[in-house]
Amino acid sequence: MDQLEYFSKAIAREQTEFAHGLDTRVGRIVLEATSGLTHENRAERRWAILDPLGAPRMDRREAGMNVWVRLLSSRVTDGLLHPALCAGQIAGVGPLPADDAYNSREVQINRAAPGLYKTWVSDPGTRDSQEHCMRDLFESVSWDRSLS
C-alpha cells in the first residue's frame, strides 16, 4: 500500500470533517482524486493530483517537478523549512533536461537550486542575504501564488 492509499483509508472514516478541513483548491483536488481509490487505479489517481497541481507544464515530468518545487517553497513561505534546506532538497532531485520546452518558473528554480545551495554552504559570511533572496524566490512559486 502506498501513501495515497493510506491517506484515502484515513479520511474515509471522517469524510465530512476532512472535506471541511481541506476546503482549498489543493485539498479539493486531493479529495476528489482519492475518492474511489483502489490499488488498481492508484497510478491514475496520483496523476489526477499531479496534473492539475503541476500546471502549467509541458508534460508529466514537469508537472511533478512543479508540484515538488511548489510544495517545498510553500514550506519555506510558511516558516516550516529553512530556505537552504529547501534549495538542497530541490537540488537533490536533479534538473530536468536543459530544453527550451521546460521553462516554468518552478523548473528555473530547480535549475538554480544547486548553485543557491552551494553558495550558501561555501560563503557563510553572506548567508543572511542569501537566505533573504531564497525566501523571495521561493515565495514566487508558493501554493498561494501558483494556484490563485
Side-chain angles (χ1 to χ4, degrees):
M1 188 172 340
D2 72 358
Q3 287 81 8
L4 201 55
E5 288 175 282
Y6 284 123
F7 178 79
S8 178
K9 288 180 188 273
I11 65 171
R13 295 182 199 117
E14 299 177 12
Q15 288 180 338
T16 304
E17 290 81 4
F18 275 98
H20 178 70
L22 295 173
D23 192 21
T24 64
R25 181 167 183 248
V26 174
R28 287 188 295 273
I29 288 169
V30 171
L31 288 172
E32 184 177 316
T34 56
S35 174
L37 179 76
T38 65
H39 185 74
E40 292 75 25
N41 72 4
R42 70 182 173 182
E44 171 191 325
R45 295 301 179 95
R46 198 174 295 123
W47 285 111
I49 295 170
L50 291 174
D51 278 339
L53 293 182
R57 77 278 186 256
M58 295 300 296
D59 60 22
R60 285 184 163 176
R61 186 161 182 213
E62 186 176 2
M65 178 58 65
N66 288 349
V67 170
W68 176 245
V69 171
R70 288 174 190 161
L71 173 73
L72 290 173
S73 295
S74 293
R75 299 298 61 93
V76 171
T77 302
D78 295 342
L80 300 173
L81 182 64
H82 191 279
L85 292 175
C86 179
Q89 287 290 312
I90 293 169
V93 172
L96 291 175
D99 178 349
D100 290 339
Y102 295 106
N103 201 29
S104 66
R105 182 77 172 136
E106 293 78 6
V107 170
Q108 292 169 14
I109 290 172
N110 165 256
R111 290 190 182 123
L116 294 169
Y117 184 72
K118 183 178 179 181
T119 302
W120 185 87
V121 169
S122 65
D123 191 0
T126 63
R127 284 186 178 168
D128 286 344
S129 65
Q130 290 176 43
E131 291 168 13
H132 180 74
C133 291
M134 286 181 199
R135 279 188 189 91
D136 288 346
L137 181 66
F138 296 141
E139 186 177 296
S140 75
V141 295
S142 68
W143 286 128
D144 290 341
R145 297 264 177 111
S146 300
L147 300 176
S148 50

